[in-house]
Amino acid sequence: MSETIFSKIIRKEIPAEIVYENEAVLAFKDIRPQAPVHILIIPKIDELETIKDFQKDKHTSILSSLFEAANQIAKDLSISNEGYRLVINCGANGGQEVYHLHMHLLGGRKMNWPPG
Ligand code: AMP
């Protein structure tokens, strides 16, 4: 897959407000927050452009790491008890802008349904 701005954030070549990091994932504040808490959680490997590239035999541990990070960050940011939303946009109709798999963690307010 081709490089995105997220690859540069992973390499710390451009700044981001990092809230969580381990060997598999990086999480940072979204630059255009849609809620009081809006974090992007991304795998460090440049292998998955979208969730539709997911293959069970190759990527199960990556998805586990994303969900594990989301739950930990929600606790760290004190939104775990009241609840939050996890979103993965896929492709043009899904509203995806950056083609490096990422999960949005949104919280700190009541979310609307259906989403726009
Ligand atoms: P998506 O529309 O699901 O592809 O989400 C991409 C997200 O990346 C958007 O919510 C953008 O606001 C966010 N974004 C783009 N560039 C940056 C950046 N340099 N730092 C933090 N968030 C960014």
Side-chain angles (χ1 to χ4, degrees), residues 5-6 9 14-17 28-34 38-40 49 87-91 94-104 106:
I5 194 157
F6 290 175
I9 290 175
I14 63 168
E17 285 193 69
F28 49 93
K29 293 185 181 178
D30 195 292
I31 207 165
R32 284 181 275 133
Q34 303 300 314
H38 188 171
I39 306 297
L40 298 174
E49 290 186 359
V87 174
I88 297 177
N89 295 325
C90 181
Q96 186 171 5
E97 289 175 10
V98 179
Y99 281 79
H100 179 126
L101 177 67
H102 53 280
M103 180 185 282
H104 297 253
L106 296 145

